[in-house]
Structure formats: structure tokens, C-alpha cells
Amino acid sequence: MDNKSDYRTNIIGAGEVGCAISVDMDKSAIHNTNSFFWDTKGNDALGTIALPLYGAFVSEEKCQFFDDVSRKKVLEIGCGSGQSLQYLGEHKASELWGMDISEKQIEKTTRRLTECGLSVKLICSPMEEECGIPENYFDYAYSVYAIGWTTDLECTFCRIASYLKKDGIFIFSWSHPIHKCVAIENNMLAFKKCYFDESWYSVSLDGSALSLSDRKLSTYVNALAKAGFIIEQMIEESDDDIMRNKNSDFAKKAKMLPVTFVIKARKL
Ligand SMILES: C[S@@+](CC[C@H](N)C(=O)[O-])C[C@H]1O[C@@H](n2cnc3c(N)ncnc32)[C@H](O)[C@@H]1O
């Protein structure tokens, strides 16, 4: 992975947030904006971040959040172009399921997994909504850089809990909120945004818009607890081995503060 792709993963950082426009939290407007972005620009603009990576500098191979997935049913929330499903399919998961708001992303996943000879069940829907995913069914639900797009975190976590069997595992990664507040400028770290500000905003990328909000870490933790999860592990550190020889501003920043977080939680 070159420096440019490292950066694209977390391209919406504090610098971009500084130029953002405030928007109302209007669920259907946000879904329209974001599904249009993922249908038309998607990974070309933002890059792909997929297993074995959870973020630019965190890897499943080092962290081992998943145990042996053979004979396990797995569900990806916001499956994007299907690379993570391919990874778990190659590790012999017994059933692969994915869901995504974007029809084009679902098409990409279908194409990728068909080419690999892997069978997958895919659903096109916002993660916040009822969409026919079976309940009390999965051993693992996971999401790599997609959960933060939800307009309703508590509802999304409750839905994910309902899909899992008792003791089922939920693993997700997202941009660390402190990365969204601090920019690197002239080799200095500068606070550009208030950590407590969870309001919605729109950013322009590659001529198209995306709408999002930056939630505090406690918002994720409390929403997990409310949905009936217990946290087993959380990672904020960048992996030294992946960081070695990376000298971009983004990598310099990642040496000073977390750019990604990963949480592993168990359904009680
Ligand atoms: C950064 S990608 C991550 C996916 C995958 N890891 C990848 O890199 O291809 C985010 C994905 O979340 C999907 N997404 C955005 N908002 C969503 C929502 N409300 N419900 C379900 N999926 C959503 C997008 O369509 C996109 O495929």
C-alpha cells in the first residue's frame, strides 16, 4: 500500500472538516447524498479499506479479532466492493452475507465474489432499516469503515445485535474522532474542530458531496452498551510494522494520535 492510498482511507480529516458545510440531520437527504456518492465515485475517490486491514495502520493479521471463521456465518455491514467478504470466504467462513446502501457497490461485490467462486447473499439497504437479514443467525457481524455513515447509531447497533446469535461477535472500525479534530500544518498538530461537536456536515470530494457527523468515542461505547453488547477489546494504536518507512504528513500524524479505532464486542 503506497502513501497515497494510506491517506485516501482517511481523506476526510480535520483539514476537510474545516471546509465543511453544516447540514440538517435529514435521514433521507443524507441517504440520497451518500448512496449517490458511492454509486458514482465510491472507492475511486476514497480508496478501499478492507480486511486484512481495518484502517490505514491496523491489521487483522496482527490483532486477530476473528477466531477461526471456518463453519461460521458472517455478515458485513457496508460491504463496499466485497474485498473483506472475499478475505473471510478464503478463510472458509461457511456463509457470507453483505449489505450496503449502494447498488453499484453491491454489484461490485457480486462480481468480485463470483470471480473468486464464492457464494454470497447480498442485500441493498441502509443499515438503519429493516431489510430482511435473519435474526439470531450470525456468529460474526463486522464492518470496516462503514458504521460511521449511519444516521442512527443506536438503532443500527440494536439491529446488528438482533442479527447475531447469543455470544456472537461484532467487530467494526472507523475513523478515530480525534483524527477529525486535529490537522497537521507546517509539521505542527492544530485543533480545527471541537471534539464534542457531533453535528452533521457535508464535504465535497472529487466534485461530489458526502454527508457525515463525527461521533465521540463515548457515543459508540454507550450505544453498544444500550444495544446489549459488552466490549471485549478496543484498538487505537497504529501498527509500528505497517507505519515503518511511511513519511507522509498523514503517517506523521498517525505516529502522534490514533487515526483509526477498532472495537470487538460480544452480544450478551
Ligand atoms: C468506505 S466504504 C467501506 C466498505 C469497504 N470496507 C470498502 O472499502 O470497500 C463505506 C461503505 O458504506 C456504504 N454505506 C454508506 N452509508 C450507508 C448506510 N447508511 N447503510 C449501509 N451502507 C452504507 C457505502 O455505500 C460504502 O460502500
Side-chain angles (χ1 to χ4, degrees), residues 51 54 60 63-69 72-75 84 87-88 91 93 139-144 169-172 233 264:
L51 293 176
Y54 285 106
E60 165 63 15
C63 300
Q64 305 263 298
F65 282 112
F66 286 88
D67 298 316
D68 181 5
V69 292
K72 300 286 194 264
K73 295 171 184 159
V74 304
L75 165 68
S84 300
Y87 176 84
L88 293 176
H91 284 73
D139 301 287
Y140 286 97
Y142 70 96
S143 183
V144 180
I169 295 292
F170 174 39
I171 301 162
F172 73 96
Q233 200 180 348
K264 175 178 181 179

Side-chain angles (χ1 to χ4, degrees), residues 105-124:
Q105 296 286 73
I106 292 283
E107 279 170 21
K108 281 187 200 166
T109 299
T110 307
R111 235 183 353 259
R112 173 187 289 279
L113 294 211
T114 307
E115 278 166 16
C116 301
L118 292 164
S119 155
V120 65
K121 294 190 179 66
L122 295 169
I123 295 175
C124 188

Side-chain angles (χ1 to χ4, degrees), residues 9 30-31 34-35 37-39 42-43 46-51 53 76-84 99-103 105-106 109 125-129 142-151 156 173-174 210:
T9 307
I30 289 166
H31 284 169
N34 290 349
S35 57
F37 179 89
W38 289 103
D39 278 345
N43 306 77
L46 273 181
T48 298
I49 189 71
L51 293 176
L53 288 180
E76 179 163 9
I77 307 294
C79 60
S81 55
Q83 238 171 272
S84 300
M99 63 96 62
D100 200 285
I101 198 171
S102 155
E103 281 175 20
Q105 296 286 73
I106 292 283
T109 299
S125 168
M127 64 182 93
E128 302 89 323
E129 289 173 12
Y142 70 96
S143 183
V144 180
Y145 268 79
I147 282 296
W149 298 112
T150 182
T151 54
T156 298
S173 66
W174 184 247
L210 272 169

